[in-house]
Amino acid sequence: MSNLFVRSLSALVYAFLFISAILFSAETYIGLLALFATVCSWELSKIIQIKSIIPYILLACITYISFQSTIFKYNDYLFGFTITGSFILLYLLISSKLIKTGTLTQKLFLQVIYLILPFYFLMNLPFIENTYHPNIIIYIIFIIWTNDSFAFLVGKNFGKRKLFEKVSPKKTIEGFIGGLLFSIIAGFIIGQYSGIFSILDWIIIAIIVAIFGSLGDLVESKFKRQANVKDSGTIMPGHGGLLDRLDSLFFLAPFVYLYIHYIM
């Protein structure tokens, strides 16, 4: 069986499962994300070498909270902590400093700020005034796909200057700009036909998705480079681990949540 066929089949199964869960109901969306988060936490635990049930207990807690019909009363505090944690990771990425995982406390803190809390806000992202809007997530996934595809195509054909060579040698500034521009075009098109949010809102969301999705991919690459591993796992044949597939989506989620729920 050729590697291309395996990669394509694996991607199709993943896409069908994810999109079906998103469109079927809010419960299936949250439930599948909880399963994905558990697998990603397990993969991250292997990368940073932590053996603890605490991350899984915390994931169970955020899943339970997400299933409630009312907004969690400490939501604002969780959000502030999440955004602060994301900027800490970005600082460590840009400054080329090591992400410390020497102690159990550091490892648990990393699990919380990098994975658990962002997944919580990804679960709650498509809820506007307690009403579930699955198309919001579908459109965001489409923008991510657009950004990744055109960043690869532009980078492969025109890329010369490296973006973060020490972390990801193949990513280029030209590819990043190409992905960003085509994401904006995708946002413009979505804004015309989505029926939710304005064209300007979708363009801004597309910019957030392209920038923070790319940064999320780089942060995960830094974890793997520090641990000297190529992929986060083997659950998706031909692609690696589930964390490799979802790193952009959950990292950008708090920033899109910020725009939709606090700024708009």
Side-chain angles (χ1 to χ4, degrees):
M1 190 179 296
S2 69
N3 185 54
L4 178 60
F5 178 78
V6 171
R7 283 178 59 86
S8 300
L9 181 61
S10 178
L12 284 173
V13 171
Y14 162 76
F16 175 78
L17 182 64
F18 199 9
I19 292 174
S20 296
I22 293 169
L23 294 176
F24 188 77
S25 70
E27 290 75 20
T28 56
Y29 168 69
I30 294 173
L32 186 65
L33 273 187
L35 176 60
F36 282 175
T38 302
V39 175
C40 288
S41 183
W42 175 67
E43 291 178 346
L44 181 60
S45 294
K46 290 195 301 179
I47 292 174
I48 63 176
Q49 298 181 347
I50 176 176
K51 294 181 180 180
S52 173
I53 64 169
I54 294 177
Y56 306 105
I57 294 174
L58 293 175
L59 281 172
C61 290
I62 68 163
T63 302
Y64 173 77
I65 293 170
S66 298
F67 271 118
Q68 304 307 302
S69 58
T70 56
I71 298 174
F72 185 50
K73 64 179 181 179
Y74 298 113
N75 222 49
D76 292 344
Y77 297 103
L78 285 181
F79 181 75
F81 187 71
T82 305
I83 287 292
T84 301
S86 297
F87 277 115
I88 289 172
L89 291 173
L90 291 176
Y91 166 73
L92 294 173
L93 172 67
I94 295 169
S95 66
S96 299
K97 293 184 177 180
L98 289 177
I99 299 172
K100 295 181 180 180
T101 57
T103 67
L104 178 61
T105 301
Q106 290 172 335
K107 292 174 181 180
L108 289 174
F109 179 72
L110 185 59
Q111 282 266 11
V112 170
I113 65 170
Y114 174 66
L115 197 148
I116 295 172
L117 287 179
F119 259 110
Y120 169 73
F121 286 101
L122 180 58
M123 289 177 182
N124 290 275
L125 181 58
F127 291 87
I128 309 294
E129 296 180 350
N130 292 328
T131 300
Y132 178 56
H133 296 273
N135 286 348
I136 292 176
I137 295 296
I138 297 294
Y139 293 143
I140 288 174
I141 291 173
F142 176 72
I143 295 170
I144 292 173
W145 177 82
T146 301
N147 180 63
D148 290 348
S149 299
F150 284 97
F152 172 77
L153 291 172
V154 174
K156 183 178 180 181
N157 291 285
F158 305 102
K160 294 181 179 179
R161 291 168 290 182
K162 302 298 181 181
L163 187 60
F164 279 93
E165 188 171 9
K166 291 183 179 180
V167 175
S168 185
K170 293 183 180 180
K171 293 187 182 296
T172 64
I173 294 175
E174 291 82 2
F176 172 78
I177 294 173
L180 175 61
L181 291 177
F182 279 95
S183 294
I184 292 172
I185 294 171
F188 176 80
I189 295 170
I190 291 169
Q192 285 190 311
Y193 302 103
S194 69
I196 182 171
F197 308 152
S198 68
I199 293 175
L200 178 60
D201 286 330
W202 275 112
I203 288 175
I204 294 173
I205 290 170
I207 293 171
I208 295 170
V209 168
I211 292 174
F212 288 99
S214 299
L215 290 172
D217 185 57
L218 288 168
V219 170
E220 198 231 355
S221 294
K222 182 160 186 172
F223 288 143
K224 293 189 294 186
R225 186 164 289 272
Q226 283 189 198
N228 197 29
V229 297
K230 181 181 179 183
D231 298 317
S232 66
T234 58
I235 196 170
M236 293 185 66
H239 290 271
L242 194 58
L243 186 62
D244 295 323
R245 296 296 91 202
L246 289 171
D247 56 353
S248 298
L249 181 59
F250 68 76
F251 191 85
L252 64 84
F255 296 97
V256 178
Y257 187 95
L258 170 65
Y259 181 73
I260 292 176
H261 292 270
Y262 288 93
I263 298 177
M264 283 179 54

